[in-house]
Amino acid sequence: MSEQHWIDLRSDTVTQPSQAMRAAMAAADVGDDVYGDDPTVNRLQEHAAELFGYEAGMFAPSGTQTNLIALMTHCGRGDEYLVGQEAHTYKYEGGGAAVLGSIQPQPIANQADGSIALADIEAYIKPDDMHFARTRLLALENTIGGRVLSQEYIAAATTLAHVRGLATHLDGARICNAAVKQNIGLREAVLGFDTVSVCLSKGLGAPVGSVLLGPKAFIEQGKRWRKMLGGGMRQAGVIAAAALYALEHNVQRLADDHDNAAALARGLSEIEVLNVGTPQTNIFWLDVPAAACDPLRKALLEAGIRATVGPRMRIVTHLDVSAADVDRTIGAFKSFFKNWQA
């Protein structure tokens, strides 16, 4: 594979910092962020808060940590948050809220579009009774599995939560993808949420980091949890510079990833034995015959393509996957299935 670069379709977390991003990192002014002295971190936090319409922001190493900090700040010991069965904060973040925060998750089935039915939200809010955990928070995710929650749904869900006395948090791991897909501003995309976690190391292309945004008093309280969880960084401006570059340069270009995902899905749908979903953003799923999975995985690797191959297969495009890479991937799939027999 010395003559061709690898195509990595496993996730948009695999992106490499561009030369311009690396230059910004190398030139970053730094200080001790635990003391609040890192000028680049401070600039990132202020810029992100302004972009999304919040009072303050806090930079942390990962979205797992910013989500956990939000849950631990919104909820006390023995409290509960409402969350979708498919949500990262419930399913894919190690049970941190329960293990480290003594917070009870109340998982609720996600609908086909990724939402949680309003009737289910209403039904799972506990009465004010000593027998029940205190329901404090509604946590949603956008996008979820590549699906975009509509603005109408978000408005209805967050209004319901607030009327019932709950706070609202958004796991915005790919919130910029959702905004670009809907052709709306970032502030509009997070309307109704008291706090939001914005991941910078997925499609936006930064190597590491997320920001938690919310009211100033909330963020100051969150900094205590960040320190306790090991997220207090020192001269973090080096990585904050990459995150700042990502927010300044890589939001609108997410549309290219969406277009590439759509083109890839169209090409793969021409293969009769595959059942290919239609992407809304940069993620889509396809069903692969079980008997084909092992040989397909091998064939893709030989073609210089990394993918998480399985009967239910997720494909993710990102800034390091070009239109030419899409064509090359379609060709590799078609070449394999032309000769494959069940």
Side-chain angles (χ1 to χ4, degrees):
M1 288 309 304
S2 58
E3 297 180 358
Q4 288 183 307
H5 75 91
W6 282 92
I7 301 170
D8 199 332
L9 303 171
R10 294 172 297 173
S11 177
D12 44 11
T13 61
V14 303
T15 56
Q16 296 286 312
S18 65
Q19 288 303 312
M21 183 179 283
R22 290 173 186 268
M25 295 170 72
D29 293 328
V30 298
D32 191 322
D33 183 48
V34 174
Y35 287 107
D37 291 343
D38 191 298
T40 308
V41 172
N42 292 339
R43 194 157 61 249
L44 167 65
Q45 293 169 162
E46 291 163 5
H47 181 63
E50 174 65 23
L51 275 181
F52 288 89
Y54 288 90
E55 285 185 348
M58 177 179 61
F59 186 47
S62 70
T64 296
Q65 189 170 107
T66 48
N67 279 326
L68 180 56
I69 291 167
L71 294 175
M72 294 174 72
T73 307
H74 279 297
C75 301
R77 186 180 176 94
D79 288 345
E80 163 184 277
Y81 75 108
L82 307 183
V83 63
Q85 286 272 10
E86 299 176 31
H88 267 68
T89 56
Y90 170 67
K91 190 174 181 180
Y92 297 108
E93 295 183 357
V99 174
L100 300 175
S102 296
I103 302 164
Q104 173 175 290
Q106 173 58 73
I108 307 172
N110 289 93
Q111 301 299 303
D113 63 357
S115 67
I116 305 172
L118 298 179
D120 287 344
I121 294 172
E122 184 86 48
Y124 279 103
I125 298 173
K126 306 296 187 292
D128 184 8
D129 183 298
M130 70 176 70
H131 294 89
F132 302 109
R134 294 162 297 197
T135 309
R136 296 295 197 199
L137 177 71
L138 172 65
L140 298 177
E141 182 176 336
N142 201 12
T143 66
I144 179 164
R147 296 161 294 183
V148 179
L149 299 183
S150 73
Q151 291 305 104
E152 294 77 15
Y153 169 76
I154 288 173
T158 56
T159 297
L160 169 60
H162 288 146
V163 167
R164 292 299 305 272
L166 308 185
T168 55
H169 173 69
L170 177 66
D171 175 4
R174 296 180 177 88
I175 187 59
C176 295
N177 292 86
V180 168
K181 173 62 177 178
Q182 296 176 98
N183 194 30
I184 60 176
L186 298 178
R187 290 188 174 205
E188 185 178 354
V190 299
L191 278 176
F193 291 101
D194 299 305
T195 57
V196 59
S197 167
V198 180
C199 185
L200 302 161
S201 64
K202 293 188 171 74
L204 294 180
V208 63
S210 291
V211 288
L212 177 63
L213 305 172
K216 185 175 181 180
F218 184 96
I219 295 300
E220 288 304 311
Q221 186 179 351
K223 287 179 181 178
R224 286 184 154 274
W225 291 121
R226 183 182 67 173
K227 180 63 177 174
M228 192 181 299
L229 295 170
M233 297 180 287
R234 300 302 179 176
Q235 287 71 37
V238 175
I239 54 175
L244 189 59
Y245 183 94
L247 282 176
E248 291 175 340
H249 296 89
N250 289 349
V251 173
Q252 292 305 317
R253 65 142 308 280
L254 293 171
D256 297 338
D257 300 340
H258 301 171
D259 291 343
N260 284 334
L264 184 50
R266 285 194 301 270
L268 295 182
S269 67
E270 296 172 0
I271 302 171
E272 186 175 352
V273 298
L274 300 180
N275 180 23
V276 182
T278 301
Q280 294 182 27
T281 54
N282 66 320
I283 298 173
F284 66 95
W285 301 78
L286 61 150
D287 297 323
V288 179
C293 289
D294 286 342
L296 175 61
R297 185 181 302 108
K298 181 180 178 182
L300 291 177
L301 285 173
E302 289 175 350
I305 300 168
R306 295 188 176 102
T308 305
V309 180
R312 182 68 173 162
M313 181 175 175
R314 186 182 80 157
I315 288 183
V316 186
T317 56
H318 49 78
L319 59 81
D320 291 335
V321 176
S322 66
D325 294 334
V326 167
D327 292 338
R328 189 172 131 202
T329 300
I330 294 169
F333 270 83
K334 288 185 173 180
S335 177
F336 172 80
F337 281 105
K338 180 180 179 180
N339 300 309
W340 179 76
Q341 293 182 340

